[in-house]
Amino acid sequence: LYKPCFLLYTGGMNTFTKILAAIGILSLALTSSLSASSADEKEILTRVFTLGPEQVEYTQQFSEAVSLTTMEQIVEQITDQVGSFVSVEGDENPYTMIFEDGKVTSYISIDSQSRVAGIQFTQIISTKETLDEVIEKLIAIEKTSSLLVRKNGEAMFSHNSKTLMAVGSSFKLAVLAAVEDAVNEGSLHWNQSVNLKDEWKSLPSGILQSWPSGISLTIETLTALMISMSDNTATDALISIVGKNDIERYLPCSGPLLTTGELFRLKNPANIDLLNSFTRSNDMERRAILRLLKSRELPSPDLFAHDPVSIDVEWFVSASTLADLIERVEHLDVMTVNPGVAENEQWERIAYKGGSEPGVLNLTTFLRDSDENCYTVSYTANNEDSPLNENEIIILYQNLLNKLK
């Protein structure tokens, strides 16, 4: 998926589509404001945290994407974690922001009129809290949560790690595992080409839903899109090519496996009849209902912009299974394209997959340090009634990763 750092983002279907849009805003801004001085950038970062976000000017594009309320929430959440602002260090992006109880890595872009065009906070390190204190805060944010922290295959901390929870796109780790099995068996090849089919097209996140049908794509390209930007159409293509049975072996408690298109169609209010039947049916009956879904319409992506939508229809996977899966596929190059919230400079290898929809968030990361120690951290939160506090969760999760070394 795009890097889910603590980033200002636009609205969208889920956490990660929001983050992708924000990266686009930042990239545009960086190309248009290369003449901005370091002093101006540092002064604005200082003003955001001393006088408040309302005392800073923003470009129209940024203001349309990120509300002032969101800016204020982010400042509040950062200071809650690392205390009062002290200073900004550095002569260019990225800057190091010093706080009473920690530091924050930040990027900023301003235009010729000193208006903020992009801003990014990628690493928030608390020096005050211990690892145990960070873990305690993380599991306390939501009453329905799970967390597993492993070092070299042994559990360092476990909270509801065997409990099945909705994990969003993180189920795609199982798809990747099944694809690699097929490649190892010789029934599939990484450079094998397939033509994009209409029936595979799903909703964002991703880009393939907008591409013309018939275009040729390799299996490796599909897996890279599925993992790096959580492309749902690429995922459904791979599920069709590999077959659900081989994927369900890795997700024994999530049958029948849903494609992303099937999940979205079930949640479509226009298909409430099939949703109701699905939720009260057995496995065999559910498979028959899924066949009926092929003729039903996908909903608008706006359906997933706010409150949770039937999160009892999801991919249910335990933290333990997700940890097993990411350890199973971390050696594949596609797993390193998007490092998640971990910082590349700190680790020899990072593999990441996350997933979300309103009321659902999972973050699963594999890390290897220079001493060949391997860490796996999988966190899930569910709330069927209201959106999650995703920003705070991401900050604490990143803080947890930073304290493992």
Side-chain angles (χ1 to χ4, degrees):
L1 289 273
Y2 1 95
K3 184 172 184 180
C5 49
F6 190 62
L7 186 66
L8 302 188
Y9 48 68
T10 69
M13 194 179 74
N14 57 38
T15 302
F16 304 112
T17 48
K18 295 170 184 175
I19 288 162
L20 179 62
I23 289 175
I25 292 171
L26 182 64
S27 299
L28 287 171
L30 289 174
T31 60
S32 63
S33 61
L34 297 178
S35 61
S37 72
S38 170
D40 289 341
E41 292 172 342
K42 292 171 71 173
E43 192 275 331
I44 290 173
L45 284 171
T46 299
R47 202 186 314 163
V48 167
F49 282 88
T50 54
L51 302 180
E54 69 277 6
Q55 298 301 318
V56 173
E57 289 189 73
Y58 307 92
T59 63
Q60 181 178 349
Q61 184 184 15
F62 188 91
S63 295
E64 290 173 352
V66 184
S67 70
L68 182 58
T69 299
T70 298
M71 284 289 295
E72 291 170 341
Q73 290 173 345
I74 287 172
V75 169
E76 180 181 356
Q77 288 164 359
I78 289 176
T79 54
D80 282 348
Q81 293 295 317
V82 291
S84 300
F85 172 82
V86 176
S87 63
V88 180
E89 296 182 354
D91 297 320
E92 61 182 6
N93 282 306
Y95 295 99
T96 299
M97 304 183 68
I98 307 300
F99 293 79
E100 285 183 339
D101 300 315
K103 60 183 180 179
V104 175
T105 301
S106 62
Y107 295 78
I108 185 170
S109 176
I110 60 178
D111 68 7
S112 59
Q113 299 177 50
S114 295
R115 297 178 301 183
V116 174
I119 193 167
Q120 185 181 22
F121 305 105
T122 63
Q123 189 175 27
I124 300 169
I125 301 176
S126 170
T127 55
K128 183 179 180 180
E129 296 171 321
T130 66
L131 175 61
D132 287 344
E133 288 171 336
V134 172
I135 287 174
E136 184 178 349
K137 281 189 174 182
L138 184 58
I139 64 175
I141 293 177
E142 292 292 334
K143 63 180 180 181
T144 305
S145 66
S146 65
L147 175 64
L148 177 63
V149 183
R150 285 180 182 167
K151 180 179 181 180
N152 298 327
E154 298 294 326
M156 295 174 60
F157 180 86
S158 177
H159 169 70
N160 295 334
S161 63
K162 300 291 186 181
T163 302
L164 295 176
M165 296 184 64
V167 300
S169 289
S170 293
F171 90 96
K172 296 170 186 177
L173 290 170
V175 180
L176 180 60
V179 170
E180 189 190 25
D181 287 344
V183 170
N184 291 339
E185 293 163 2
S187 59
L188 210 58
H189 304 281
W190 292 118
N191 62 356
Q192 179 179 331
S193 294
V194 297
N195 295 328
L196 183 63
K197 297 181 180 180
D198 274 335
E199 65 197 59
W200 295 338
K201 291 188 177 182
S202 185
L203 296 180
S205 52
I207 56 176
L208 289 187
Q209 71 279 353
S210 301
W211 285 25
S213 297
I215 195 167
S216 181
L217 297 157
T218 67
I219 297 300
E220 188 171 40
T221 297
L222 290 171
T223 59
L225 290 172
M226 176 180 70
I227 297 300
S228 67
M229 61 169 53
S230 210
D231 192 297
N232 289 325
T233 297
T235 303
D236 288 2
L238 290 169
I239 292 173
S240 175
I241 293 165
V242 175
K244 288 188 176 184
N245 288 341
D246 288 342
I247 301 167
E248 287 175 352
R249 290 191 294 116
Y250 288 102
L251 302 172
C253 299
S254 286
L257 178 72
L258 297 172
T259 66
T260 70
E262 288 169 343
L263 178 134
F264 293 136
R265 286 181 171 89
L266 279 172
K267 292 174 184 278
N268 188 348
N271 301 329
I272 189 65
D273 57 327
L274 293 184
L275 175 65
N276 289 337
S277 297
F278 188 87
T279 55
R280 60 173 179 256
S281 296
N282 60 32
D283 185 89
M284 184 176 297
E285 292 167 338
R286 287 186 171 191
R287 293 179 190 276
I289 291 168
L290 293 182
R291 289 192 289 271
L292 297 176
L293 274 176
K294 294 179 180 180
S295 62
R296 300 296 182 97
E297 294 295 321
L298 288 165
S300 166
D302 293 340
L303 175 65
F304 303 95
H306 302 293
D307 294 329
V309 181
S310 303
I311 68 169
D312 56 331
V313 176
E314 246 277 357
W315 299 280
F316 289 88
V317 191
S318 70
S320 179
T321 296
L322 288 175
D324 291 343
L325 282 169
I326 201 165
E327 290 169 4
R328 159 78 174 74
V329 298
E330 57 83 14
H331 65 282
L332 296 172
D333 288 342
V334 296
M335 289 301 305
T336 66
V337 177
N338 172 16
V341 300
E343 290 297 313
N344 288 311
E345 295 78 9
Q346 293 190 17
W347 303 96
E348 294 296 310
R349 188 172 186 84
I350 303 170
Y352 166 79
K353 189 72 190 81
S356 77
E357 64 169 298
V360 174
L361 178 63
N362 172 265
L363 302 164
T364 297
T365 307
F366 170 89
L367 305 161
R368 186 172 68 237
D369 66 19
S370 56
D371 295 323
E372 297 299 312
N373 290 307
C374 297
Y375 299 87
T376 305
V377 183
S378 185
Y379 171 83
T380 305
N382 288 174
N383 190 324
E384 64 181 7
D385 299 317
S386 61
L388 301 168
N389 190 340
E390 296 169 342
N391 292 337
E392 187 174 357
I393 289 171
I394 290 170
I395 288 176
L396 287 168
Y397 183 87
Q398 184 183 58
N399 207 353
L400 190 164
L401 299 185
N402 288 332
K403 291 184 178 296
L404 290 175
K405 294 191 68 173

